[in-house]
Amino acid sequence: MFLVPEEQLPIILKGVQTVVDERELKDKLQYSYDTRKPLIVKLGLDPSAPDIHLGHAVVLRKMKQLQDLGHQIVIIIGDFTGRIGDPTGKSKGRAALSSEQVKENAKTYYNQIFKILDENKTIVRFNSEWLSALNFEDVIQLASSISVARMLERDDFQKRYKNEVPISLHEFFYPLMQGYDSVEIKADIELGGTDQTFNILMGRQLQKHFGLEKQIALFMPLLEGLDGIEKMSKSLGNYIGVNEAPEVMFKKVMEVPDSLIIKYFELATDEHPSRIGKTQERLEQGENPRDIKLELAEIITTLYHGEEEAEKAFDFFKTAFQKREIPENIPMLTLTLEHQTLEQVIPLLIENQLVKSKSEFIRLISQNGVSLNQQKLRKEDLVNVIQSKDVLQIGKKRFIQFMR
Amino acid sequence: MFLVPEEQLPIILKGVQTVVDERELKDKLQYSYDTRKPLIVKLGLDPSAPDIHLGHAVVLRKMKQLQDLGHQIVIIIGDFTGRIGDPTGKSKGRAALSSEQVKENAKTYYNQIFKILDENKTIVRFNSEWLSALNFEDVIQLASSISVARMLERDDFQKRYKNEVPISLHEFFYPLMQGYDSVEIKADIELGGTDQTFNILMGRQLQKHFGLEKQIALFMPLLEGLDGIEKMSKSLGNYIGVNEAPEVMFKKVMEVPDSLIIKYFELATDEHPSRIGKTQERLEQGENPRDIKLELAEIITTLYHGEEEAEKAFDFFKTAFQKREIPENIPMLTLTLEHQTLEQVIPLLIENQLVKSKSEFIRLISQNGVSLNQQKLRKEDLVNVIQSKDVLQIGKKRFIQFMR
């Protein structure tokens, strides 16, 4: 069932920015292989983040690869932290959540996480299970494992201490809690972004303090968004959401800058490193990056929507953009139930600055300046129902595509 | 029953080094007077210290004065801290105590504390009662009340941080625990030595955090020992123990340097400030300090042993030292059951460097060089039983007095 450690290692380390430490990882893999005992692989999730995009998915894809190698995935939902919130009330992102909210958020998570991981092979645990059971004496024991100076080494704490921005003492407990989760589940490997370095290494320290073997830390790099510069983020609009429609997802992948193609293969797909190596060679030998991106778009869309939908998205992309000779980078507009007819959509067009007013839009129609799917529109067409994927063109340069 | 605040204030502030703050204290006294509600006066005791001397008693005497003014004394035995000990094992003074040891220590305390305070009017509470009931969430709440920078301002922490001597994170909780005790009992006043400044002010901060009125901090100065220089301490041998025999206590007070007479009146007695003022005047007008010290010795001995015993100690002092013309500063040697006869005491004499060997001691006796209570000793007297208060003289200058 298990691959030999030498075959697991390149898969596990694909795309990983830092591993602490590789020697220990090899030993753990060997022991797991010899005893046929899967390794326990931990990922902690904060219950306040809702929509997952490919940037978030980088760690989840790595989890999926470890799951496919036969290891035991454990997702820890940090509901204890979420329930406490920030008692000082300073951090708005840390408002205390009710246990209903936490459960509600967790459901949203499940929908997205299990697009990537196999639900039947994944253990999900809430850390309030053990953290709320700790008493003062246990907390003292926990706190005795670390020095104040070491805690102040964490980047953000250090900056705040130097700049005299108060750090509330309780903030020192968030890394301790995360570290204690590793003790509780006896994690062999913990995954996280590089921004989690301190917290994940804390897990190693705490496991040692409690007489356990130290977990391996796998740090994944940050994934740049479609602009090729900034970290993928919803607020910057440079993201590909895992819940986006297949056509949208496909088209967005086609917008990835050529320089990031290989990085996306490494961090956003589960392709074997040897295949990625070959793809890189093809690029270096001068193959058109666009063709390779079509492969990437199909692989990523398949991961989240299955082969059939990915095929459809591929066809749609070809029809809509390649054959019809309309620009590929036209914006998309999502319609809701109240936007059935073209007339009902006009307010959205104004909002998105495609036209100034309803009267301007009607004037443009009467001047033959508006087309839908490259058919000129007449006034009487305003009552027509808009279909998903319809492309509206206003004048020569203004395009928009509707999605439902 | 209550004195008016204006009469209470000088008694409360007698000998106090710092009060935080006096305005608030006056308000509390006024409110207490108006409502006939006693103030809650807190003293925290660490269950690891056993023998109380007059230096320790400074705060207890202040408590007694507050008790006599009608306020409610609450002694907090810090058994929770004692039971935890120091999980890092670095501090030897902080070995974890079993709850039996804590109870045993508490008993020793009671014997000594209730020589000063009225047992029937004193509430004793163990802080494990509320601290062991706190869960992780409560601890986070507690920790959120203080910043890391503020904690690092405490003298000892600051020094260690600067000198890179590790501070374990749990050490930050000792002041928080002590502060939380004040929240729990809704203390109006907390007493302590100046070395407790940080911890007692923490109580004020925590009470504010939990929406309570802030306690008043009364800091008592350190009492110098019989050498007049160092802080009174058992290890320096410059102490007067509250459990010492009346004669020893009386005689030790007579050794207090003249410059400290008034300070001892202020810190080691419950005399009214107006009387102390008059005593100071008498000294300044040239009255023999020795006579005033006799009064001080009688007052202090009465406090711990009652009038009758103090009277006896006074008589003994006069007989033994003034009438018999032997030096007043002769050392005392405590005998145990195995030291009955003079012969059995010889090893102690050697240990205390009064004689070099048994043979030297016997030679000196045969040369008529040894007396007991100013009677020359003969060899056959070696089997005589030594009585308490017997004075042994060897040669011209070596004196010792035995005590049982």
Side-chain angles (χ1 to χ4, degrees):
Chain A
M1 168 189 145
F2 282 112
L3 291 178
V4 295
E6 294 70 31
E7 288 181 52
Q8 290 190 49
L9 203 61
I11 297 172
I12 294 174
L13 294 183
K14 179 191 74 162
V16 165
Q17 177 151 331
T18 319
V19 51
V20 180
D21 78 37
E22 196 170 329
R23 178 71 257 159
E24 289 172 25
L25 174 59
K26 282 178 189 163
D27 290 346
K28 277 196 185 262
L29 286 172
Q30 189 63 54
Y31 181 80
S32 154
Y33 182 77
D34 293 344
T35 58
R36 293 294 188 264
K37 272 179 66 176
L39 297 177
I40 295 170
V41 184
K42 173 195 168 196
L43 178 67
L45 294 176
D46 173 343
S48 64
D51 272 354
I52 295 183
H53 56 56
L54 292 194
H56 301 123
V58 168
V59 283
L60 289 165
R61 294 243 68 91
K62 183 55 68 185
M63 296 291 273
K64 167 68 169 161
Q65 292 150 26
L66 284 151
Q67 187 168 59
D68 290 343
L69 289 172
H71 299 297
Q72 178 61 59
I73 302 308
V74 183
I75 301 277
I76 309 281
I77 307 273
D79 69 325
F80 185 73
T81 329
R83 283 213 316 227
I84 291 175
D86 176 10
T88 61
K90 278 175 201 150
S91 150
K92 282 184 186 165
R94 284 236 189 249
L97 302 173
S98 69
S99 70
E100 285 72 36
Q101 282 174 304
V102 168
K103 275 181 199 156
E104 201 53 48
N105 283 350
K107 258 189 231 165
T108 324
Y109 256 148
Y110 292 164
N111 290 338
Q112 301 178 76
I113 291 170
F114 296 130
K115 286 207 170 182
I116 298 174
L117 298 172
D118 181 344
E119 185 164 2
N120 297 318
K121 293 181 183 166
T122 302
I123 294 174
V124 178
R125 295 182 74 181
F126 291 78
N127 68 0
S128 62
E129 180 190 336
W130 47 87
L131 292 180
S132 66
L134 296 186
N135 63 26
F136 202 172
E137 195 164 340
D138 300 325
V139 175
I140 292 288
Q141 181 64 247
L142 197 57
S144 77
S145 67
I146 180 122
S147 77
V148 173
R150 174 90 182 74
M151 205 55 112
L152 279 173
E153 281 168 14
R154 200 172 88 164
D155 270 3
D156 52 339
F157 288 151
Q158 197 166 66
K159 272 183 208 142
R160 284 164 64 192
Y161 186 66
K162 275 189 186 155
N163 297 330
E164 296 181 14
V165 178
I167 304 161
S168 260
L169 180 53
H170 77 283
E171 296 181 64
F172 276 7
F173 278 93
Y174 296 124
L176 280 178
M177 289 175 192
Q178 186 171 335
Y180 188 73
D181 292 345
S182 295
V183 171
E184 185 65 30
I185 68 162
K186 300 192 173 65
D188 290 304
I189 299 180
E190 180 166 358
L191 264 81
T194 47
D195 52 338
Q196 288 294 308
T197 306
F198 185 89
N199 296 349
I200 293 180
L201 294 182
M202 178 69 72
R204 284 171 62 85
Q205 187 162 344
L206 280 183
Q207 284 176 318
K208 193 180 166 200
H209 180 77
F210 284 95
L212 300 173
E213 202 177 278
K214 288 182 285 184
Q215 67 186 6
I216 309 303
L218 288 187
F219 299 112
M220 303 305 295
L222 294 174
L223 184 64
E224 291 87 353
L226 300 181
D227 57 359
I229 297 161
E230 300 289 341
K231 168 187 164 188
M232 186 177 283
S233 114
K234 196 158 183 185
S235 60
L236 293 175
N238 63 354
Y239 71 101
I240 307 177
V242 304
N243 267 343
E244 292 196 272
E247 294 83 3
V248 180
M249 186 178 266
F250 196 102
K251 191 176 156 300
K252 281 191 171 182
V253 176
M254 292 307 292
E255 290 172 30
V256 168
D258 294 349
S259 61
L260 288 175
I261 293 176
I262 295 302
K263 191 164 185 186
Y264 269 68
F265 263 103
E266 284 179 338
L267 299 178
T269 80
D270 296 335
E271 296 300 295
H272 194 278
S274 65
R275 195 192 141 176
I276 300 177
K278 276 172 204 153
T279 308
Q280 186 156 17
E281 277 169 29
R282 283 164 57 204
L283 266 176
E284 285 162 3
Q285 284 157 7
E287 197 171 323
N288 187 352
R290 198 165 182 293
D291 295 336
I292 294 181
K293 259 198 276 190
L294 282 170
E295 288 171 28
L296 179 66
E298 199 167 353
I299 291 168
I300 291 177
T301 311
T302 303
L303 282 172
Y304 294 98
H305 297 283
E307 249 176 71
E308 201 179 326
E309 289 293 324
E311 205 63 48
K312 278 192 216 164
F314 181 84
D315 290 342
F316 172 72
F317 182 80
K318 291 237 160 183
T319 326
F321 303 104
Q322 295 190 289
K323 294 189 185 150
R324 288 214 232 150
E325 290 170 358
I326 55 173
E328 286 182 15
N329 59 347
I330 60 172
M332 291 191 172
L333 204 56
T334 302
L335 301 181
T336 59
L337 285 178
E338 75 235 52
H339 308 115
Q340 295 296 337
T341 66
L342 185 54
E343 189 160 15
Q344 286 167 335
V345 166
I346 298 173
L348 283 182
L349 299 178
I350 297 170
E351 210 173 278
N352 284 272
Q353 299 174 330
L354 289 152
V355 290
K356 289 203 180 87
S357 62
K358 185 170 177 178
S359 57
E360 190 205 9
F361 185 59
I362 291 171
R363 183 168 47 78
L364 285 170
I365 291 179
S366 61
Q367 293 169 352
N368 284 333
V370 180
S371 354
L372 191 71
N373 300 329
Q374 293 174 306
Q375 304 275 322
K376 294 286 175 203
L377 278 182
R378 294 157 307 160
K379 270 193 197 172
E380 47 270 42
D381 294 331
L382 280 171
V383 296
N384 289 358
V385 172
I386 297 286
Q387 307 293 330
S388 193
K389 302 171 197 171
D390 281 352
V391 173
L392 185 77
Q393 182 178 6
I394 303 167
K396 285 198 178 158
K397 291 181 180 167
R398 282 170 276 171
F399 288 88
I400 195 149
Q401 183 169 38
F402 300 110
M403 300 301 300
R404 285 198 191 275
Chain B
M1 166 191 149
F2 283 112
L3 291 178
V4 295
E6 293 69 32
E7 288 182 53
Q8 291 190 48
L9 204 60
I11 297 173
I12 294 175
L13 294 184
K14 180 192 72 163
V16 165
Q17 177 149 331
T18 319
V19 52
V20 180
D21 77 34
E22 195 169 330
R23 178 71 256 159
E24 290 172 24
L25 173 59
K26 284 179 188 163
D27 290 346
K28 277 196 186 265
L29 287 171
Q30 189 64 54
Y31 181 79
S32 155
Y33 182 77
D34 293 342
T35 58
R36 293 294 188 267
K37 273 179 66 176
L39 296 178
I40 294 169
V41 184
K42 172 194 169 197
L43 178 67
L45 293 177
D46 174 343
S48 63
D51 271 354
I52 295 183
H53 55 58
L54 292 194
H56 300 124
V58 168
V59 283
L60 289 165
R61 295 243 68 90
K62 183 54 69 186
M63 296 291 274
K64 168 67 170 162
Q65 291 151 25
L66 283 151
Q67 187 168 59
D68 289 344
L69 288 172
H71 299 296
Q72 178 60 61
I73 302 307
V74 183
I75 301 277
I76 308 283
I77 308 274
D79 70 325
F80 184 73
T81 331
R83 283 215 315 229
I84 291 175
D86 177 9
T88 62
K90 277 174 203 152
S91 151
K92 282 183 188 167
R94 285 237 188 249
L97 302 172
S98 69
S99 68
E100 284 72 35
Q101 282 173 301
V102 168
K103 273 180 202 158
E104 202 53 48
N105 284 350
K107 259 189 232 163
T108 323
Y109 256 148
Y110 292 163
N111 291 337
Q112 302 178 76
I113 291 170
F114 296 129
K115 287 206 170 183
I116 299 174
L117 297 172
D118 180 343
E119 185 163 1
N120 297 317
K121 293 181 183 167
T122 301
I123 294 173
V124 177
R125 294 183 74 182
F126 291 77
N127 68 0
S128 63
E129 180 191 335
W130 47 85
L131 292 180
S132 67
L134 296 186
N135 63 25
F136 202 171
E137 194 164 340
D138 300 325
V139 175
I140 292 287
Q141 182 62 247
L142 198 56
S144 76
S145 68
I146 180 120
S147 78
V148 172
R150 175 89 182 75
M151 206 55 113
L152 280 172
E153 280 168 15
R154 202 173 86 164
D155 270 3
D156 53 339
F157 288 151
Q158 197 166 66
K159 272 184 209 141
R160 285 164 64 191
Y161 186 65
K162 276 190 185 153
N163 297 331
E164 296 181 13
V165 177
I167 304 160
S168 262
L169 180 54
H170 76 283
E171 296 181 65
F172 275 8
F173 279 92
Y174 296 124
L176 279 178
M177 288 175 193
Q178 186 171 336
Y180 188 72
D181 293 345
S182 295
V183 172
E184 186 64 30
I185 67 160
K186 298 192 175 64
D188 289 304
I189 300 180
E190 180 166 359
L191 263 81
T194 47
D195 53 338
Q196 289 294 307
T197 307
F198 186 90
N199 296 350
I200 294 180
L201 294 181
M202 179 69 72
R204 284 171 63 84
Q205 186 162 345
L206 280 183
Q207 285 177 317
K208 193 181 166 200
H209 179 77
F210 285 95
L212 300 173
E213 203 177 276
K214 288 182 285 184
Q215 67 186 7
I216 309 303
L218 288 187
F219 300 111
M220 302 305 294
L222 295 174
L223 184 65
E224 291 86 354
L226 300 180
D227 56 0
I229 296 161
E230 300 289 341
K231 167 187 164 189
M232 185 177 283
S233 112
K234 195 158 184 184
S235 60
L236 292 175
N238 63 353
Y239 71 101
I240 306 176
V242 303
N243 268 342
E244 292 195 271
E247 295 82 4
V248 180
M249 188 178 265
F250 195 103
K251 190 176 158 299
K252 281 191 172 182
V253 176
M254 293 307 293
E255 290 171 31
V256 168
D258 293 351
S259 61
L260 287 176
I261 294 176
I262 295 302
K263 190 163 185 185
Y264 269 68
F265 264 105
E266 284 179 337
L267 299 178
T269 80
D270 297 334
E271 295 302 294
H272 194 278
S274 65
R275 197 192 139 175
I276 300 178
K278 277 174 203 151
T279 307
Q280 185 155 17
E281 277 170 28
R282 283 164 55 204
L283 267 175
E284 284 162 5
Q285 285 159 7
E287 197 170 323
N288 186 352
R290 200 168 180 292
D291 295 336
I292 294 182
K293 258 198 279 190
L294 281 170
E295 288 172 26
L296 179 66
E298 198 167 353
I299 290 168
I300 291 177
T301 311
T302 304
L303 281 172
Y304 295 98
H305 297 284
E307 251 175 72
E308 201 179 325
E309 290 292 326
E311 207 62 48
K312 279 193 217 163
F314 181 85
D315 289 342
F316 172 72
F317 182 80
K318 291 237 160 187
T319 326
F321 303 103
Q322 295 191 290
K323 294 187 185 153
R324 287 213 233 151
E325 290 171 0
I326 55 173
E328 286 182 15
N329 59 348
I330 61 172
M332 292 190 169
L333 204 56
T334 301
L335 301 180
T336 58
L337 285 177
E338 76 236 52
H339 308 115
Q340 295 296 337
T341 66
L342 186 54
E343 188 160 15
Q344 286 167 335
V345 165
I346 298 174
L348 282 182
L349 300 177
I350 298 170
E351 211 173 277
N352 284 272
Q353 297 173 330
L354 289 152
V355 290
K356 288 203 180 87
S357 62
K358 187 171 177 178
S359 57
E360 190 205 10
F361 185 60
I362 291 170
R363 184 167 47 78
L364 286 168
I365 290 178
S366 59
Q367 292 168 352
N368 284 334
V370 180
S371 350
L372 192 70
N373 299 331
Q374 292 173 305
Q375 304 275 323
K376 294 286 175 204
L377 278 181
R378 294 156 306 161
K379 269 193 199 172
E380 46 271 42
D381 294 330
L382 279 172
V383 296
N384 289 359
V385 171
I386 297 286
Q387 307 294 330
S388 194
K389 302 171 197 170
D390 281 352
V391 173
L392 185 76
Q393 181 177 8
I394 304 167
K396 286 199 178 156
K397 291 181 179 167
R398 283 169 276 173
F399 288 88
I400 193 148
Q401 183 169 36
F402 300 109
M403 301 301 301
R404 287 199 189 272

